Amino acid sequence: MSTPFPFTAVVGQDDLRLALLLNAVSPAVGGVLVRGEKGTAKSTAVRALSALLPEVDVVSGCRFSCDPGSPDPGCPDGPHEAGAGAPRPARMVELPVGASEDRLVGALDIERALAEGVKAFEPGLLADAHRGILYVDEVNLLHDHLVDLLLDAAAMGASYVEREGVSVRHAARFLLVGTMNPEEGELRPQLLDRFGLTVEVAASREPDQRVEVVRRRLAYDDDPAGFAARWAGEEAAVRARIVAARALLPSVRLGDGALRQIAATCAAFEVDGMRADIVMARTASALAAWAGRTEVLAEDVRQAALLALPHRRRRNPFDAPGLDEDKLDETLEEFGGSAEDEDPDPDGPGGGGGQPTPDSGPQGGDTSARPEAGEGGEPQASGTAEQSAVRAAEPFRTKALSVPGIGQGAAGRRSRARTEHGRTTGSRRPRGTLTKLHLAATVQAAAPHQRARGRSGPGLLVRRDDLRQAVREGRESNLVLFVVDASGSMAARQRMGAVKGAVLSLLLDAYQRRDKVGLVTFRGSAAEVALPPTSSVDAAAARLESLPTGGRTPLAAGLLKAHEVLRVERLRDAARRPLLVVVTDGRATGGPEPLPLASRAAGLFAAGGVASVVVDCESGPVRLGLAGKLAGELGGTAVTLDELRADSIAGLVKDVVKDVQRRAA
């Protein structure tokens, strides 16, 4: 077994270490979500935490880590008699992003269950993580159906495995810790709320601190055991402090004044539900215990708010997490009550309830004002002057866009697809391990052979060849590639603001439907990939917001660039189907024969059967109809910018489906 990097040797990251230690003191806090850029010791700190946790007593031979003092009456390995158990280290179990459902919750032998009535159950990762840590690296990339299972287990403290009426239940109470890079996409709000605390981490910009990070990492890589031995004293001290804080926690008093501050803070920041209040109360109590106190102070409440509220304030994926600390201080002062304002114990990581360091605490959610374009008229398409970025209009709700046909891509909420979850549409012989039994088809396959197999009792004699896998139809996610005209003909302030608002609306829809998105822009003499395909729609929104305009209209270059992006993505993920959204007025200028060249580029998408929509941004009393012509060459549908408002997109998408189906016929 490899030697983990010592927790106390992690340089900086005070808030991260404090949040993890508070959960070690009080697992009821509910876990930690660590957000930050790559290479910031997120995974290193989480893996190091398990070495600091006290040992747990378990029933000897129990695969589900039952507590000998209070064994689970429904344990599949039970029943157990209460009594002495065997101590073992607390586990940290890692859930891979690509794990199967059976790997997470466990596998039930359906063949033995049907033929023998035996619940032969192989425990999964949830059973392994019981009374320990469940760690999910890149938690934002976890498949939706695994997220649903995690939500259920976290809410009920138990895992249920059901296969066609055969059910197994076992306890599954664990500390949920996840790490993620926001550039790769955000979490579903339901899972986000399940994490008690959140921490934003970033690499230090201090040269001395960066030097120390490198020095320690090199020393660890050269001799892991020797490096760990040099930090053994600090590790033992922190471990002892965790044990002492756990013992002190039941004696911590959370007074009415502190409770009033907690309630007022959650109300002031308009967080949904009551989970935030409960988490703040538990966190403030853990902070007091960590500092060696039995009374919760105002500083504990403040620190608890900074850790428990930022991720609960997001209303859509374009909102930056964080708190306005001035507003927080005003609220705490107004509702101070009897909560004292004394300085906390400064010892240990994070100061035991003191204020976070300026470079490590969550940042406020306010952003600087976005630049707006001047009021001038619309420039000509041949203009070369670059204009500043324009503020997007308010996003609006859209109805579903979908790609026609039935795909086999990653699970999502957009287009029809063959998936592991959804309504049952048929059956087939299983390829490999049986995951979803089609009971009726299995019985039908086994029934003709009962006499030949010598059946004499009431049980059905089932063989492996009789089993049938259910074929299910659900929804998949797609790649929505935006191709946005940023030329001079699009630069009018009112028009570009409306265009950005429409694209933001579609981005929000893509977030809700678990899509990947990409952004190609064209202006001047070339096109560029402003954002390669990603699951981070907020990154796409940021690129769109800062998009400058001006210059000629190289429409063909934009289409060819988009075609190349889709070609590369098809090699990476052949199952994910694309939807092309071209936002332009249809003009093409610059170079020889710009319109015929754009027409030939559009024909590449039509030949490949790519579903497409052209958002016609042409305005004014005289319309050339170029965007509509482009849509025809793409084999898609055109819609005017005005028609994007309200519910008009629904008709647009239906037209896309009908057009593709008509061409296929």
Side-chain angles (χ1 to χ4, degrees), residues 6 18 87 206 245 297 504 526 538 586:
L18 177 61
E206 280 290 329
L297 305 181
L504 282 177
D538 49 345

Side-chain angles (χ1 to χ4, degrees), residues 238-517:
V238 173
R239 191 178 299 110
R241 188 173 177 185
I242 291 174
V243 173
R246 281 190 173 187
L248 183 62
L249 185 61
S251 303
V252 173
R253 178 180 175 273
L254 184 64
D256 289 343
L259 279 173
R260 186 173 178 80
Q261 284 186 316
I262 290 170
T265 301
C266 292
F269 285 102
E270 300 180 346
V271 296
D272 295 332
M274 294 298 298
R275 184 173 285 115
D277 303 63
I278 296 170
V279 170
M280 273 190 65
R282 290 171 174 167
T283 304
S285 298
L287 281 162
W290 178 248
R293 289 184 273 100
T294 57
E295 185 77 18
V296 172
L297 305 181
E299 286 301 325
D300 298 324
V301 176
R302 186 181 194 278
Q303 181 71 78
L306 292 172
L307 293 172
L309 297 187
H311 61 302
R312 293 185 165 90
R313 293 191 60 246
R314 302 192 72 185
R315 291 295 183 269
N316 65 63
F318 311 138
D319 293 339
L323 291 182
D324 182 339
E325 295 194 30
D326 291 337
K327 180 179 179 180
L328 173 61
D329 291 335
E330 291 173 3
T331 303
L332 292 175
E333 183 177 353
E334 180 181 355
F335 294 90
S338 61
E340 301 177 26
D341 228 350
E342 302 173 4
D343 290 334
D345 184 346
D347 296 337
Q355 300 208 18
T357 55
D359 61 346
S360 63
Q363 300 301 308
D366 293 339
T367 56
S368 58
R370 291 171 288 192
E372 294 190 10
E375 289 288 345
E378 177 183 343
Q380 298 298 317
S382 60
T384 58
E386 179 176 306
Q387 301 193 13
S388 58
V390 177
R391 180 191 294 270
E394 188 69 21
F396 52 87
R397 184 173 180 81
T398 70
K399 291 188 177 179
L401 289 80
S402 62
V403 177
I406 300 179
Q408 295 182 344
R413 296 185 176 182
R414 184 171 296 279
S415 305
R416 295 172 59 197
R418 302 292 186 197
T419 63
E420 288 295 318
H421 301 269
R423 64 186 182 91
T424 301
T425 59
S427 65
R428 60 172 173 80
R429 291 182 181 272
R431 304 184 188 104
T433 303
L434 178 72
T435 55
K436 298 291 183 180
L437 178 73
H438 194 298
L439 183 58
T442 298
V443 172
Q444 188 176 19
H449 307 291
Q450 296 305 295
R451 180 174 298 178
R453 293 172 182 173
R455 173 187 171 186
S456 58
L460 186 69
L461 296 181
V462 180
R463 301 289 185 262
R464 175 68 186 175
D465 289 343
D466 300 330
L467 299 180
R468 294 295 183 268
Q469 174 82 26
V471 175
R472 297 173 182 259
E473 182 180 304
R475 293 282 170 175
E476 67 176 359
S477 62
N478 298 111
L479 167 59
V480 182
L481 182 61
F482 294 93
V483 182
V484 180
D485 184 348
S487 64
S489 64
M490 295 283 291
R493 180 173 183 266
Q494 184 176 4
R495 184 197 300 184
M496 200 60 195
V499 167
K500 287 186 176 183
V503 177
L504 282 177
S505 302
L506 295 174
L507 282 172
L508 182 59
D509 180 71
Y511 164 77
Q512 294 168 341
R513 300 184 187 281
R514 313 291 180 259
D515 291 315
K516 292 182 70 174
V517 296

Side-chain angles (χ1 to χ4, degrees), residues 7 20-21 24 44-53 133 175 177 242:
F7 185 86
L20 292 172
L21 289 170
T44 298
V46 174
R47 292 189 174 98
L49 176 67
S50 61
L52 296 178
L53 297 181
I133 301 173
L175 171 60
V177 180
I242 291 174

Side-chain angles (χ1 to χ4, degrees), residues 482 518-521 527-533 539-540 543-544 547 561 565:
F482 294 93
L519 178 62
V520 173
T521 64
E528 67 170 341
V529 181
L531 184 72
R543 300 292 175 87
L544 181 73
L547 179 66
K561 181 69 72 174
V565 170

